[in-house]
């Protein structure tokens, strides 16, 4: 639905027309930009499928029909749909306030459920998780490590270096149709969940291009295309689930064109992140703070996650969305986590107290100014009404 609001801040990343045109004659991405030496990239329709393919391949190499996967309790439920179709027991390990595994509980989980075949570690919002301890744990229990780097633009530091595999979701940070990448050793034969011959374009890609062009036009003329209806705060949102299908050639050509711009996208995202961070830190309050204490070198932030007091988050959420700033909550947690609130206190608390703000490269400086001034006002107003 199209409507007019004070600001029209796009939640989606918009492609440049010139990039779309150039991609028609470009080479296809091989995914090598996401690989270390000796690794290869396998494309799918999102990390959801890459995770399922990694687990299926690992279990086959272990000659097992059934397996155990450990994964964090702060996880999107919809990303587990393909994995749930396999014979695997999912064990949700609690995380701590700094989004790392809660080490005080992991050995108990091993005693209760057995050693995992695969251990999934998430690098939330593009910030690297503590990997050294996880590697030691995996060695100790005979598990393989799968890094979930769905929020990471490109590997840096230790990300993707020491694990069995790493999944990326370039479409979350780049203006490309839905593409996921599973990176693993080049000697490993990955079992695809479904795979046909590559088509040059499919209907979804055309739809994506048409939609993005229209959104770019509307954004340019400051017309908001987002529905005026804001998703109710208390509602658990589930992203639309998409079947796996081959990633078509045009998407890979566009990805190739964008690979040369990754550094500049990272610079822009870091700059916008710091603008929002400065603004939050400048308000002297104990109700709003950045989720991460700092922005380490090399990190390309996916979104800006803000930790808000549970008494004000709902106010800030509606206040920002009402003026067209797409503030969002983390999507639905898995039912197993919601059903046991006592065992997953922190994941549930994070789900209820973190709001994310877009800081992507399609935003203009003017958009960011609107975001920071409204955010500051929303926090101040909420302090008065508290
Ligand atoms: C941490 C994490 N991993 C995996 C996924 C699934 O990614 P995709 O949309 O590429 O399937 C998500 C979804 O948003 C996610 O937040």
């Amino acid at each position: 639905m199209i409507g007019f609001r004070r600001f029209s801040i796009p939640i989606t990343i918009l492609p440049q027309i010139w990039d779309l045109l150039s991609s028609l004659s470009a080479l296809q991405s091989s995914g090598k930009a996401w690989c270390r030496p000796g690794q290869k990239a396998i494309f799918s329709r999102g990390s959801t499928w890459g995770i399922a393919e990694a687990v299926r391949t690992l279990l086959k190499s272990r000659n097992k029909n059934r397996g155990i996967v450990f994964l964090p309790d702060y996880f999107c439920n919809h990303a587990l749909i393909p994995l749930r179709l396999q014979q695997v027991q999912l064990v949700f390990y609690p995380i701590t306030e700094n989004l790392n595994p809660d080490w005080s509980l992991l050995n108990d989980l091993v005693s209760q459920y057995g050693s995992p075949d695969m251990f999934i570690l998430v690098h939330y919002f593009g910030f690297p998780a503590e990997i050294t301890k996880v590697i030691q744990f995996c060695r100790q229990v005979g598990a393989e490590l799968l890094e979930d780097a769905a929020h990471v633009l490109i590997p840096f530091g230790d990300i993707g270096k020491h694990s069995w595999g790493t999944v990326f979701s370039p479409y979350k940070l780049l203006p490309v149709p839905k593409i996921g990448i599973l990176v693993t050793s080049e000697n490993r034969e990955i079992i695809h969940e479904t795979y046909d011959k590559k088509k040059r374009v499919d209907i979804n890609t055309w739809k994506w291009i048409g939609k993005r062009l229209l959104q770019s036009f509307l954004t340019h003329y400051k017309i908001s295309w987002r529905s005026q209806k804001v998703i109710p705060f208390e509602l658990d949102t589930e992203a639309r689930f998409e079947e796996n299908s081959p990633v078509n050639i045009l998407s890979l050509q566009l990805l190739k064109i964008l690979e040369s711009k990754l550094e500049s996208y990272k610079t822009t995202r870091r700059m916008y992140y710091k603008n929002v961070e400065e603004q939050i830190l400048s308000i002297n309050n104990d109700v709003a703070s950045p989720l991460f204490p700092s922005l380490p070198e090399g990190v390309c932030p996916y979104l800006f996650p803000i930790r808000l007091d549970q008494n004000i988050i709902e106010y800030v959420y509606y206040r920002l969305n009402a003026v067209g700033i797409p503030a969002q909550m983390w999507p639905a947690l898995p039912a197993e986590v919601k059903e046991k609130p006592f065992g997953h206190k922190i994941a549930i608390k994070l789900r209820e107290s973190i709001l994310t703000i877009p800081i992507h490269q399609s935003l203009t400086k003017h958009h960011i100014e609107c975001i920071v001034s409204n955010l500051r006002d929303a926090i101040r107003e909420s302090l008065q009404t508290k």
Side-chain angles (χ1 to χ4, degrees), residues 172-305:
K172 288 190 194 296
L173 293 106
L174 298 172
V176 285
K178 194 159 190 173
I179 300 180
I181 303 179
L182 166 61
V183 171
T184 191
S185 159
E186 59 194 8
N187 307 323
R188 208 164 272 135
E189 222 28 75
I190 291 295
I191 307 170
H192 296 291
E193 295 283 306
T194 55
Y195 216 77
D196 318 333
K197 270 182 86 188
K198 278 188 194 166
K199 288 183 267 174
R200 187 168 171 83
V201 277
D202 59 28
I203 185 74
N204 286 335
T205 307
W206 285 117
K207 273 195 205 157
W208 182 89
I209 292 174
K211 214 168 149 184
R212 292 295 177 271
L213 287 176
L214 179 65
Q215 290 171 340
S216 300
F217 172 84
L218 295 172
T219 301
H220 185 75
Y221 288 101
K222 299 191 170 33
I223 303 169
S224 169
W225 71 80
R226 290 174 61 229
S227 163
Q228 298 289 307
K229 266 200 222 138
V230 178
I231 300 169
F233 173 79
E234 61 287 349
L235 204 74
D236 264 351
T237 50
E238 290 265 10
R240 197 166 57 86
F241 179 68
E242 274 181 43
E243 294 291 325
N244 201 13
S245 56
V247 174
N248 65 66
I249 292 169
L250 187 55
S251 301
L252 295 180
Q253 288 171 307
L254 182 55
L255 186 61
K256 181 76 188 168
I257 293 287
L258 299 176
E259 281 173 15
S260 61
K261 303 182 170 193
L262 298 180
E263 272 307 313
S264 81
Y265 291 159
K266 181 160 128 185
T267 307
T268 307
R269 282 174 175 266
R270 287 180 64 88
M271 181 175 76
Y272 289 165
Y273 182 97
K274 285 186 175 158
N275 292 158
V276 180
E277 185 186 47
E278 259 167 40
Q279 200 54 240
I280 297 174
L281 295 177
S282 73
I283 313 168
N284 192 9
N285 73 88
D286 56 0
V287 292
S289 56
L291 176 60
F292 295 96
S294 64
L295 178 62
E297 208 49 45
V299 169
C300 174
Y302 167 41
L303 292 161
F304 191 103

Side-chain angles (χ1 to χ4, degrees), residues 138-169:
C138 286
R139 274 202 204 114
Q140 184 196 318
V141 298
E144 294 291 355
L145 173 61
L146 180 68
E147 289 173 76
D148 181 333
H151 302 171
V152 174
L153 177 66
I154 200 87
F156 65 97
D158 277 341
I159 295 180
K161 245 189 204 167
H162 307 287
S163 49
W164 185 99
T166 310
V167 290
F168 297 91
S169 297

Side-chain angles (χ1 to χ4, degrees), residues 45-49 51 74-76 78-79 122 124 148 150-151 167-169 171-172 178-180 302 330-331:
R45 284 277 162 179
S47 294
T48 298
W49 289 102
I51 293 171
Y74 189 55
F75 207 87
C76 312
H78 91 271
V122 179
Y124 293 99
D148 181 333
H151 302 171
V167 290
F168 297 91
S169 297
Y171 84 98
K172 288 190 194 296
K178 194 159 190 173
I179 300 180
Y302 167 41
W330 184 263

Side-chain angles (χ1 to χ4, degrees), residues 74 97 99 124-125 127 233 272-283 285-294 301-321 325-330 346-359 368 370-380 382:
Y74 189 55
E97 293 274 353
L99 307 184
Y124 293 99
F125 303 107
F127 289 67
F233 173 79
Y272 289 165
Y273 182 97
K274 285 186 175 158
N275 292 158
V276 180
E277 185 186 47
E278 259 167 40
Q279 200 54 240
I280 297 174
L281 295 177
S282 73
I283 313 168
N285 73 88
D286 56 0
V287 292
S289 56
L291 176 60
F292 295 96
S294 64
Y302 167 41
L303 292 161
F304 191 103
I306 314 174
R307 199 192 283 266
L308 290 164
D309 185 290
Q310 276 161 276
N311 291 322
I312 70 159
I313 188 164
E314 188 171 346
Y315 178 86
V316 177
Y317 171 84
Y318 283 118
R319 166 73 171 71
L320 295 180
N321 277 287
I325 296 171
Q328 290 184 313
M329 304 290 290
W330 184 263
I346 292 182
I348 292 171
K349 185 174 144 206
L350 291 171
R351 164 72 184 80
E352 290 167 357
S353 59
I354 290 173
L355 202 62
T356 61
I357 306 288
I359 44 154
I368 293 293
C370 294
I371 290 176
V372 293
S373 69
N374 275 277
L375 186 58
R376 189 189 50 222
D377 292 351
I379 295 170
R380 286 195 175 139
S382 66

